[in-house]
Amino acid sequence: MNTYKRQHVAFERGEGCWLWDKQGKRYLDALAGIAVVGIGHSHPKFVQALTAQAAKLIHTSNVYEIEHQEALGERLAAVSGMDEIFFCNSGCEANEAAIKIARLYGHHKGIEMPAIIVMEKAFHGRTIATLSATGSRKVQAGFEPLVPGFARVPFDDLAAVRKVAENNRNVVAVLVELIQGEGGINICHDDYLHGLREICDANGWLLMLDEVQSGVGRTGKWFAFQHSGVKPDVVTLAKGLASGVPIGACFAAGAATGVFKPGNHGSTFGGNPLACAAALTTLDIIEHDKLMANAVAMGELIHARFAAQLKGVAGVRDIRHKGLMVGIELEYPCDELVKNALAAGLLINVTNDNVVRLLPPLVIKRDEVEQLVAILSPLIADFLARARAAQPAVKTA
Ligand code: PLP
């Protein structure tokens, strides 16, 4: 179906941060399949583990015990501090599980119409429930009626959440991305998560974090919430967890533990031996190759280099980063930069109309950062010069 505005290029093979198209042209991949291939393309250890598992066993069913799933569950519980995990196949499914946990939790408390607080500019997926939770009219338009039971507030605004607490007795949970990815790499303030935890505790709500894009080492810790020391009740994960083999996960702790009982939820593929072997190997590689420390160092380097190269360039509004989630906000809608970068052998993304988003593999090296900055800075400067000449009015949202 005609669901994607595709770039006209097809890749044939990859290695680390590089992809090659059918004509043999090489591209620096600063997107990693949208925060998926953290360990880089075709990591030898990953390829070996995946092929070995494929030769042995790919799929059985969740009606049987699955050793790899148990091992992955134990491993993820250890690195996250969470107590229970449900495995599915994508980020939106992980969030569906979180939404169902919140509703069931509410019903157990006698709340008949449970509501979840969600944020403006949030992105939680494209199923009917998760697009209803998403804070973007573009994503929702045409798919009404939306699923009820979501109360929306501005991101990073504790007063707005407190106000809902005073007025809406149906609220049972808050669902939030600590770093909004699709929304434009919007990073919450340091005290935001502590504040949300306090409000949730005071009201008996679940604190639910969507770490689908920010998880698995991308911000320099396994999870973005681990920068704060706050423990959530529910966490969702997908994207980077199995380096491109589809997997999603919904974690529960505290009051969210034990909400689901047999029959409440399920998945045919979720957590099968192949996906779990891929995830276990991904975690091994991130740990062994010290990729989280690299994400911190390379994120700082990318920020510093762009700040230096774009200093004084009119039309650059802000440069933001947490580890290897990087956003360069411009004053103009800049979709054309994706095509310009592609022609120059660089893969990037533009989100929320005017934010250049970089989500490179966690394995990116210093010289690759230098190449990224050397290609992209002049493209941005050139674009802005043309945009300012053509349309002096700036985007304000
Ligand atoms: N949540 C966040 C924060 C995301 O960034 C995404 C995808 O971009 C999703 C959920 C949906 O994930 P998926 O496309 O795997 O359903």
Side-chain angles (χ1 to χ4, degrees):
M1 292 187 189
N2 188 22
T3 52
Y4 303 100
K5 233 179 4 188
R6 287 196 160 115
Q7 301 298 316
H8 295 296
V9 63
F11 301 108
E12 207 166 40
R13 71 186 176 92
E15 197 181 311
C17 291
W18 298 92
L19 286 166
W20 283 262
D21 71 12
K22 283 174 171 281
Q23 286 71 43
K25 181 176 169 184
R26 191 173 83 140
Y27 298 80
L28 178 57
D29 183 2
L31 197 57
I34 317 190
V36 170
V37 193
I39 60 171
H41 298 283
S42 305
H43 193 293
K45 224 194 248 179
F46 185 75
V47 173
Q48 199 274 332
L50 203 61
T51 45
Q53 185 59 44
K56 218 160 129 189
L57 187 65
I58 293 177
H59 181 85
T60 54
S61 164
N62 277 309
V63 302
Y64 308 112
E65 290 176 2
I66 301 173
E67 248 177 43
H68 289 82
Q69 192 183 113
E70 287 171 25
L72 180 60
E74 292 298 336
R75 184 80 183 273
L76 285 170
V79 298
S80 66
M82 303 296 281
D83 299 324
E84 293 184 340
I85 305 180
F86 172 80
F87 289 106
C88 49
N89 315 283
S90 63
C92 62
E93 279 178 85
N95 287 330
E96 287 275 345
I99 292 164
K100 283 180 70 174
I101 287 173
R103 285 188 167 196
L104 203 49
Y105 169 79
H107 284 291
H108 290 165
K109 293 207 307 182
I111 296 172
E112 274 176 33
M113 299 288 280
I116 300 169
I117 295 182
V118 289
M119 306 299 153
E120 289 174 6
K121 291 194 182 169
F123 185 84
H124 298 298
R126 291 177 179 278
T127 60
I128 291 293
T130 58
L131 74 81
S132 301
T134 288
S136 157
R137 278 305 297 155
K138 241 194 216 170
V139 172
Q140 296 173 338
F143 299 109
E144 298 84 358
L146 300 180
V147 171
F150 296 105
R152 196 168 307 284
V153 298
F155 177 60
D156 204 16
D157 181 345
L158 290 172
V161 178
R162 284 195 194 99
K163 205 162 159 197
V164 178
E166 283 161 21
N167 296 310
N168 188 338
R169 306 319 302 169
N170 286 334
V171 172
V172 294
V174 177
L175 173 62
V176 60
E177 300 157 85
L178 297 178
I179 302 160
Q180 293 185 324
E182 305 303 301
I185 311 294
N186 306 316
I187 304 169
C188 68
H189 288 95
D190 289 344
D191 55 1
Y192 185 56
L193 193 54
H194 285 277
L196 286 180
R197 181 72 272 176
E198 267 174 38
I199 298 170
C200 286
D201 287 345
N203 292 281
W205 300 347
L206 301 179
L207 177 55
M208 310 204 296
L209 305 180
D210 179 342
E211 294 241 19
V212 166
Q213 194 162 141
S214 59
V216 204
R218 180 146 292 276
T219 69
K221 299 226 183 245
W222 287 115
F223 303 91
F225 77 80
Q226 290 174 327
H227 291 281
S228 72
V230 168
K231 192 167 170 187
D233 301 305
V234 174
V235 177
T236 59
L237 207 60
K239 285 191 179 284
L241 182 54
S243 306
V245 177
I247 192 167
C250 179
F251 302 53
T257 312
V259 172
F260 277 161
K261 298 279 185 294
N264 285 143
H265 203 45
S267 166
T268 294
F269 295 125
N272 78 13
L274 188 75
C276 290
L280 280 164
T281 309
T282 298
L283 300 180
D284 281 346
I285 291 169
I286 290 173
E287 209 162 64
H288 180 268
D289 295 357
K290 301 190 168 45
L291 296 186
M292 289 184 275
N294 193 59
V296 172
M298 293 304 106
E300 274 164 18
L301 184 65
I302 289 174
H303 193 139
R305 286 285 191 272
F306 275 113
Q309 290 297 314
L310 297 173
K311 193 170 176 204
V313 173
V316 177
R317 192 177 276 168
D318 193 18
I319 304 175
R320 301 183 280 272
H321 91 286
K322 187 89 183 168
L324 286 173
M325 292 183 82
V326 182
I328 304 171
E329 184 175 336
L330 308 183
E331 287 180 3
Y332 300 87
C334 56
D335 227 14
E336 72 159 77
L337 275 171
V338 173
K339 213 187 291 169
N340 301 348
L342 186 73
L346 174 66
L347 307 184
I348 61 162
N349 171 252
V350 166
T351 191
N352 199 38
D353 294 338
N354 62 332
V355 180
V356 176
R357 180 171 50 158
L358 307 174
L359 302 161
L362 309 185
V363 295
I364 194 167
K365 298 192 200 76
R366 197 163 280 272
D367 65 303
E368 291 161 340
V369 167
E370 299 296 354
Q371 292 180 64
L372 159 64
V373 177
I375 299 170
L376 189 53
S377 300
L379 290 178
I380 291 176
D382 179 58
F383 164 78
L384 285 171
R386 279 183 288 110
R388 286 170 69 80
Q391 44 162 117
V394 298
K395 179 181 189 282
T396 51

